[in-house]
Amino acid sequence: MALAQRQEVGKSYRRRRRELSPKGAVKIAFVPLYHYKPEEITLEVDNDNVILHGKHRSEREDGFDTSEFKRVFKLPQEVDPTAITSRATQNGDALIIEGTKRVEEKTEEGKFEAKFDFSGFKPEEISIQLHGNELSISGKHASEDSGNYRSRDYSRTLLLPDDIVVGSVTSCLSKEGQLTIEASRDPALLPGERSVDVIMET
């Protein structure tokens, strides 16, 4: 009977996982919280691992009880380790850990190209700012389905090569949700090399 009960709980958690995962997010882990609160859990990324720590303390008449746990999850190869997020389910009984795909950069003679996963976003929900050769991309998407409110935020900063022609930077969002940034390159824009004479102090 106990085994059957655990299987039913697992199925319930997997069903909620499908309902609550935003479109375009890469699922890393779905962790039942049991008696832990979200604020009692910390998450860190170490190389290719996502490490989850939890510490709970409950007061009793004759003292208190403490419990701790540590879980390590392997980071999928396609996930950007700098873009890991976590959130509790709507009823707070589980923690969802997600990430976004790595930026696909393609650099060739005369052209620069980078691709971002913005599945589920509309063009008006995406903001692109260019400061010198620093490209900042952010997005905020919100939707409501069967009474469940969902939101997804995205923020990335990309350093463009020094020979990018700033005025040639363009962006395009495909029907599949792939945002492509393209720009022309001009070697003449690269900083020149010169010698600096050393003068003896008199």
Side-chain angles (χ1 to χ4, degrees), residues 151-186:
S151 65
R152 180 186 172 198
D153 294 325
Y154 186 101
S155 179
R156 287 298 307 275
T157 298
L158 185 67
L159 195 62
L160 301 177
D162 291 332
D163 59 352
I164 286 292
V165 180
V166 176
S168 70
V169 177
T170 61
S171 66
C172 179
L173 183 66
S174 70
K175 294 180 180 179
E176 293 75 25
Q178 186 175 70
L179 179 69
T180 301
I181 305 291
E182 292 183 336
S184 300
R185 306 183 66 177
D186 184 358

Short mmCIF file of all heavy atoms in Angstrom, two decimals, residues 151-186:
data_model
loop_
_atom_site.label_atom_id
_atom_site.label_comp_id
_atom_site.label_asym_id
_atom_site.label_seq_id
_atom_site.Cartn_x
_atom_site.Cartn_y
_atom_site.Cartn_z
N SER A 151 4.04 33.88 -15.24
CA SER A 151 4.89 34.94 -15.76
C SER A 151 6.29 34.38 -15.99
O SER A 151 6.72 33.45 -15.32
CB SER A 151 4.95 36.12 -14.79
OG SER A 151 5.57 35.74 -13.58
N ARG A 152 6.98 34.96 -16.96
CA ARG A 152 8.33 34.53 -17.28
C ARG A 152 9.17 35.76 -17.61
O ARG A 152 8.77 36.59 -18.43
CB ARG A 152 8.32 33.56 -18.47
CG ARG A 152 9.71 33.06 -18.85
CD ARG A 152 9.67 32.22 -20.11
NE ARG A 152 11.01 31.91 -20.58
CZ ARG A 152 11.28 31.50 -21.81
NH1 ARG A 152 10.31 31.35 -22.69
NH2 ARG A 152 12.52 31.25 -22.18
N ASP A 153 10.29 35.89 -16.94
CA ASP A 153 11.21 37.00 -17.18
C ASP A 153 12.50 36.46 -17.80
O ASP A 153 12.94 35.36 -17.48
CB ASP A 153 11.55 37.73 -15.88
CG ASP A 153 10.34 38.43 -15.29
OD1 ASP A 153 9.51 38.92 -16.07
OD2 ASP A 153 10.22 38.46 -14.06
N TYR A 154 13.09 37.27 -18.67
CA TYR A 154 14.33 36.87 -19.33
C TYR A 154 15.23 38.10 -19.40
O TYR A 154 14.78 39.19 -19.75
CB TYR A 154 14.04 36.36 -20.74
CG TYR A 154 15.25 35.78 -21.46
CD1 TYR A 154 15.44 34.41 -21.55
CD2 TYR A 154 16.19 36.60 -22.06
CE1 TYR A 154 16.53 33.87 -22.21
CE2 TYR A 154 17.29 36.07 -22.73
CZ TYR A 154 17.45 34.71 -22.80
OH TYR A 154 18.54 34.19 -23.45
N SER A 155 16.50 37.93 -19.05
CA SER A 155 17.44 39.04 -19.12
C SER A 155 18.83 38.51 -19.43
O SER A 155 19.32 37.61 -18.75
CB SER A 155 17.46 39.81 -17.79
OG SER A 155 18.37 40.88 -17.84
N ARG A 156 19.44 39.03 -20.48
CA ARG A 156 20.78 38.61 -20.87
C ARG A 156 21.56 39.82 -21.37
O ARG A 156 21.01 40.74 -21.97
CB ARG A 156 20.74 37.57 -21.99
CG ARG A 156 20.30 36.20 -21.57
CD ARG A 156 21.23 35.58 -20.55
NE ARG A 156 22.61 35.59 -20.99
CZ ARG A 156 23.16 34.66 -21.77
NH1 ARG A 156 22.44 33.65 -22.18
NH2 ARG A 156 24.43 34.74 -22.11
N THR A 157 22.86 39.80 -21.13
CA THR A 157 23.76 40.83 -21.66
C THR A 157 24.85 40.13 -22.46
O THR A 157 25.46 39.17 -21.98
CB THR A 157 24.39 41.66 -20.53
OG1 THR A 157 23.35 42.33 -19.82
CG2 THR A 157 25.33 42.70 -21.10
N LEU A 158 25.07 40.61 -23.67
CA LEU A 158 26.02 39.97 -24.57
C LEU A 158 27.03 41.01 -25.04
O LEU A 158 26.66 42.12 -25.44
CB LEU A 158 25.27 39.38 -25.78
CG LEU A 158 26.08 38.57 -26.79
CD1 LEU A 158 26.58 37.29 -26.15
CD2 LEU A 158 25.20 38.23 -27.99
N LEU A 159 28.31 40.68 -24.96
CA LEU A 159 29.36 41.58 -25.42
C LEU A 159 29.68 41.26 -26.88
O LEU A 159 30.13 40.17 -27.21
CB LEU A 159 30.61 41.42 -24.56
CG LEU A 159 31.67 42.53 -24.68
CD1 LEU A 159 31.09 43.87 -24.23
CD2 LEU A 159 32.91 42.17 -23.86
N LEU A 160 29.42 42.22 -27.76
CA LEU A 160 29.63 42.02 -29.18
C LEU A 160 31.11 42.20 -29.53
O LEU A 160 31.83 42.92 -28.84
CB LEU A 160 28.78 43.01 -29.98
CG LEU A 160 27.26 42.93 -29.77
CD1 LEU A 160 26.57 44.03 -30.57
CD2 LEU A 160 26.73 41.57 -30.16
N PRO A 161 31.57 41.58 -30.61
CA PRO A 161 32.96 41.76 -31.05
C PRO A 161 33.27 43.23 -31.34
O PRO A 161 32.38 44.02 -31.67
CB PRO A 161 33.03 40.91 -32.33
CG PRO A 161 31.95 39.89 -32.18
CD PRO A 161 30.85 40.60 -31.45
N ASP A 162 34.54 43.60 -31.24
CA ASP A 162 34.94 45.00 -31.42
C ASP A 162 34.74 45.50 -32.84
O ASP A 162 34.66 46.71 -33.07
CB ASP A 162 36.41 45.18 -31.03
CG ASP A 162 36.63 45.01 -29.53
OD1 ASP A 162 35.69 45.29 -28.77
OD2 ASP A 162 37.74 44.61 -29.13
N ASP A 163 34.67 44.59 -33.81
CA ASP A 163 34.55 45.03 -35.20
C ASP A 163 33.11 45.06 -35.71
O ASP A 163 32.86 45.10 -36.91
CB ASP A 163 35.41 44.16 -36.12
CG ASP A 163 35.01 42.69 -36.07
OD1 ASP A 163 34.17 42.34 -35.22
OD2 ASP A 163 35.53 41.90 -36.88
N ILE A 164 32.14 45.04 -34.79
CA ILE A 164 30.73 45.10 -35.18
C ILE A 164 30.39 46.50 -35.70
O ILE A 164 30.76 47.51 -35.11
CB ILE A 164 29.82 44.76 -33.98
CG1 ILE A 164 29.86 43.26 -33.70
CG2 ILE A 164 28.39 45.20 -34.22
CD1 ILE A 164 29.23 42.41 -34.78
N VAL A 165 29.66 46.54 -36.81
CA VAL A 165 29.13 47.80 -37.32
C VAL A 165 27.82 48.06 -36.57
O VAL A 165 26.80 47.41 -36.83
CB VAL A 165 28.88 47.73 -38.84
CG1 VAL A 165 28.32 49.07 -39.35
CG2 VAL A 165 30.16 47.36 -39.58
N VAL A 166 27.86 48.98 -35.62
CA VAL A 166 26.73 49.19 -34.72
C VAL A 166 25.43 49.47 -35.47
O VAL A 166 24.36 48.96 -35.12
CB VAL A 166 27.04 50.35 -33.73
CG1 VAL A 166 25.82 50.64 -32.86
CG2 VAL A 166 28.23 49.99 -32.87
N GLY A 167 25.49 50.26 -36.52
CA GLY A 167 24.29 50.61 -37.26
C GLY A 167 23.67 49.47 -38.04
O GLY A 167 22.56 49.61 -38.57
N SER A 168 24.36 48.33 -38.11
CA SER A 168 23.86 47.20 -38.90
C SER A 168 23.16 46.14 -38.05
O SER A 168 22.69 45.13 -38.58
CB SER A 168 25.01 46.53 -39.67
OG SER A 168 25.87 45.84 -38.77
N VAL A 169 23.07 46.35 -36.74
CA VAL A 169 22.48 45.35 -35.85
C VAL A 169 20.97 45.25 -36.10
O VAL A 169 20.26 46.26 -36.07
CB VAL A 169 22.74 45.69 -34.37
CG1 VAL A 169 22.05 44.68 -33.46
CG2 VAL A 169 24.24 45.72 -34.09
N THR A 170 20.50 44.04 -36.37
CA THR A 170 19.07 43.80 -36.59
C THR A 170 18.62 42.61 -35.75
O THR A 170 19.44 41.80 -35.31
CB THR A 170 18.76 43.51 -38.07
OG1 THR A 170 19.48 42.34 -38.48
CG2 THR A 170 19.16 44.68 -38.96
N SER A 171 17.31 42.49 -35.55
CA SER A 171 16.76 41.36 -34.81
C SER A 171 15.51 40.85 -35.51
O SER A 171 14.79 41.62 -36.16
CB SER A 171 16.43 41.76 -33.37
OG SER A 171 15.38 42.71 -33.35
N CYS A 172 15.25 39.54 -35.34
CA CYS A 172 14.08 38.93 -35.97
C CYS A 172 13.58 37.80 -35.07
O CYS A 172 14.38 36.96 -34.63
CB CYS A 172 14.42 38.41 -37.36
SG CYS A 172 13.03 37.61 -38.21
N LEU A 173 12.28 37.77 -34.79
CA LEU A 173 11.68 36.72 -33.97
C LEU A 173 10.90 35.78 -34.88
O LEU A 173 9.96 36.19 -35.56
CB LEU A 173 10.74 37.33 -32.92
CG LEU A 173 10.08 36.36 -31.94
CD1 LEU A 173 11.12 35.71 -31.04
CD2 LEU A 173 9.03 37.08 -31.10
N SER A 174 11.30 34.50 -34.90
CA SER A 174 10.64 33.53 -35.76
C SER A 174 9.32 33.06 -35.14
O SER A 174 9.05 33.30 -33.96
CB SER A 174 11.55 32.31 -35.99
OG SER A 174 11.67 31.55 -34.79
N LYS A 175 8.50 32.38 -35.92
CA LYS A 175 7.23 31.85 -35.43
C LYS A 175 7.46 30.82 -34.33
O LYS A 175 6.59 30.59 -33.48
CB LYS A 175 6.44 31.23 -36.58
CG LYS A 175 5.98 32.23 -37.62
CD LYS A 175 5.21 31.55 -38.73
CE LYS A 175 4.74 32.54 -39.79
NZ LYS A 175 3.99 31.88 -40.89
N GLU A 176 8.62 30.17 -34.35
CA GLU A 176 8.95 29.16 -33.34
C GLU A 176 9.48 29.78 -32.05
O GLU A 176 9.77 29.07 -31.09
CB GLU A 176 9.98 28.17 -33.89
CG GLU A 176 9.48 27.29 -35.02
CD GLU A 176 9.37 28.05 -36.34
OE1 GLU A 176 10.10 29.06 -36.50
OE2 GLU A 176 8.56 27.64 -37.20
N GLY A 177 9.65 31.11 -32.03
CA GLY A 177 10.11 31.79 -30.82
C GLY A 177 11.62 31.95 -30.73
O GLY A 177 12.15 32.24 -29.66
N GLN A 178 12.32 31.80 -31.84
CA GLN A 178 13.78 31.98 -31.84
C GLN A 178 14.12 33.41 -32.26
O GLN A 178 13.77 33.85 -33.34
CB GLN A 178 14.45 30.98 -32.77
CG GLN A 178 15.98 31.03 -32.68
CD GLN A 178 16.62 29.96 -33.53
OE1 GLN A 178 16.59 30.01 -34.75
NE2 GLN A 178 17.20 28.96 -32.88
N LEU A 179 14.80 34.12 -31.36
CA LEU A 179 15.21 35.49 -31.64
C LEU A 179 16.63 35.47 -32.21
O LEU A 179 17.55 34.96 -31.59
CB LEU A 179 15.18 36.33 -30.36
CG LEU A 179 15.61 37.79 -30.52
CD1 LEU A 179 14.58 38.58 -31.32
CD2 LEU A 179 15.82 38.44 -29.15
N THR A 180 16.79 36.04 -33.40
CA THR A 180 18.09 36.07 -34.06
C THR A 180 18.59 37.50 -34.14
O THR A 180 17.88 38.40 -34.60
CB THR A 180 18.00 35.49 -35.49
OG1 THR A 180 17.52 34.14 -35.42
CG2 THR A 180 19.37 35.49 -36.15
N ILE A 181 19.80 37.72 -33.64
CA ILE A 181 20.47 39.01 -33.73
C ILE A 181 21.58 38.89 -34.77
O ILE A 181 22.41 37.98 -34.70
CB ILE A 181 21.10 39.43 -32.38
CG1 ILE A 181 20.04 39.41 -31.26
CG2 ILE A 181 21.75 40.80 -32.49
CD1 ILE A 181 19.00 40.47 -31.36
N GLU A 182 21.59 39.80 -35.74
CA GLU A 182 22.61 39.77 -36.78
C GLU A 182 23.26 41.14 -36.91
O GLU A 182 22.63 42.17 -36.62
CB GLU A 182 22.00 39.37 -38.13
CG GLU A 182 21.52 37.93 -38.20
CD GLU A 182 20.99 37.57 -39.57
OE1 GLU A 182 20.57 38.49 -40.30
OE2 GLU A 182 21.00 36.37 -39.91
N ALA A 183 24.51 41.15 -37.35
CA ALA A 183 25.23 42.40 -37.55
C ALA A 183 26.39 42.16 -38.51
O ALA A 183 26.91 41.05 -38.61
CB ALA A 183 25.75 42.95 -36.23
N SER A 184 26.77 43.22 -39.21
CA SER A 184 27.92 43.15 -40.11
C SER A 184 29.19 43.41 -39.32
O SER A 184 29.18 44.05 -38.26
CB SER A 184 27.79 44.20 -41.22
OG SER A 184 26.61 43.98 -41.97
N ARG A 185 30.31 42.91 -39.85
CA ARG A 185 31.61 43.10 -39.21
C ARG A 185 32.56 43.79 -40.18
O ARG A 185 32.54 43.52 -41.38
CB ARG A 185 32.19 41.76 -38.76
CG ARG A 185 31.25 40.97 -37.87
CD ARG A 185 31.89 39.69 -37.38
NE ARG A 185 33.00 39.98 -36.49
CZ ARG A 185 33.70 39.03 -35.87
NH1 ARG A 185 33.41 37.77 -36.05
NH2 ARG A 185 34.70 39.36 -35.07
N ASP A 186 33.37 44.68 -39.64
CA ASP A 186 34.33 45.41 -40.46
C ASP A 186 35.68 45.43 -39.73
O ASP A 186 35.83 46.10 -38.71
CB ASP A 186 33.84 46.84 -40.70
CG ASP A 186 34.76 47.62 -41.63
OD1 ASP A 186 35.79 47.07 -42.06
OD2 ASP A 186 34.43 48.79 -41.93
#
